[in-house]
Amino acid sequence: FPAYGDQYDPDYSSLQYDPDLARKLIAEAGYDGSEIVLWTRQDGYADRVMAAEVVQQMLSAVGLNVSLMLEQSWSQGDPNVDMGMWTNPMYFPDPMGSLGIMWGPNGFGVNRGLWGPKIENFEERWNDALYQPDREQRRKDYYSLLQEIEQESPYVLLYRPYESYIVASDVTWQAPTASRPYVLTFQANAFDRE
């Protein structure tokens, strides 16, 4: 994301829409048509269920047999769930502000058992990238790890939700461009009234 500042690589993209490549990879994997359960909660984002339906349709269009499991709460412990939709917030505008908190060695995904990294020296390399004082080297280290993480596929970036804010006309406040609503500050000194 551009909000990463000098850590942003405009030439790198996790998003790729290529149904023909998807069909090829599915065939190479030897997929047998077994049902794949896509789990999502019914609460949270207003369009969460609609997004799950779109994902189901797109995956079906490339030959996967996907059914939806709509529930009210987190159910990753359910043995019938093959994949789940959830958010990956950016807590601060830095590559480690989202990926690190969710998929780092001590991140949510690892701690919840959603992914066990098989990347050689993962924790050491992660910490080297995280604490690297040379900004250019840090960016290179981060994107090198990101490529390996994406090969293990603990996640697929599906879409970026649009969020809007309503602010009283006498309040001087502008929403940050790289944070989620639940990490915004509304302390008395965070905005001014005219």
Side-chain angles (χ1 to χ4, degrees):
F1 298 103
Y4 291 168
D6 66 356
Q7 298 298 286
Y8 174 62
D9 183 349
D11 298 324
Y12 190 86
S13 176
S14 293
L15 296 173
Q16 182 178 3
Y17 179 75
D18 190 337
D20 293 330
L21 176 60
R23 287 183 197 93
K24 178 179 179 279
L25 293 172
I26 290 166
E28 288 175 4
Y31 173 64
D32 63 3
S34 299
E35 179 183 50
I36 298 170
V37 178
L38 170 60
W39 170 89
T40 193
R41 290 189 351 231
Q42 296 181 50
D43 62 353
Y45 296 110
D47 296 329
R48 185 187 296 263
V49 173
M50 184 174 65
E53 291 169 345
V54 169
V55 169
Q56 176 193 28
Q57 291 167 12
M58 292 175 78
L59 294 174
S60 295
V62 295
L64 298 177
N65 176 18
V66 178
S67 65
L68 293 180
M69 177 187 284
L70 305 175
E71 294 188 348
Q72 295 296 327
S73 64
W74 184 263
S75 66
Q76 281 303 123
D78 188 325
N80 298 312
V81 172
D82 298 300
M83 59 183 165
M85 291 181 57
W86 61 303
T87 58
N88 199 58
M90 184 184 314
Y91 290 95
F92 51 91
D94 182 89
M96 300 298 186
S98 56
L99 187 72
I101 292 170
M102 293 300 175
W103 299 106
N106 297 305
F108 180 83
V110 173
N111 288 336
R112 288 290 297 247
L114 302 175
W115 177 50
K118 295 174 181 55
I119 297 170
E120 189 173 339
N121 300 319
F122 179 66
E123 187 167 0
E124 179 183 340
R125 289 178 59 208
W126 184 273
N127 287 327
D128 286 347
L130 179 62
Y131 299 112
Q132 173 57 252
D134 181 294
R135 302 290 291 172
E136 180 60 26
Q137 186 61 49
R138 182 179 188 264
R139 186 171 67 81
K140 288 177 184 175
D141 292 349
Y142 168 77
Y143 283 100
S144 172
L145 266 175
L146 181 59
Q147 288 174 340
E148 291 183 58
I149 290 169
E150 288 179 349
Q151 287 301 308
E152 287 196 13
S153 296
Y155 67 91
V156 176
L157 181 57
L158 297 173
Y159 67 98
R160 186 174 177 187
Y162 176 77
E163 294 164 344
S164 58
Y165 307 89
I166 298 172
V167 180
S169 61
D170 66 335
V171 173
T172 305
W173 181 81
Q174 184 174 352
T177 58
S179 295
R180 300 303 306 273
Y182 44 81
V183 296
L184 299 178
T185 178
F186 291 103
Q187 300 152 297
N189 63 349
F191 56 87
D192 296 318
R193 285 197 175 269
E194 293 179 358

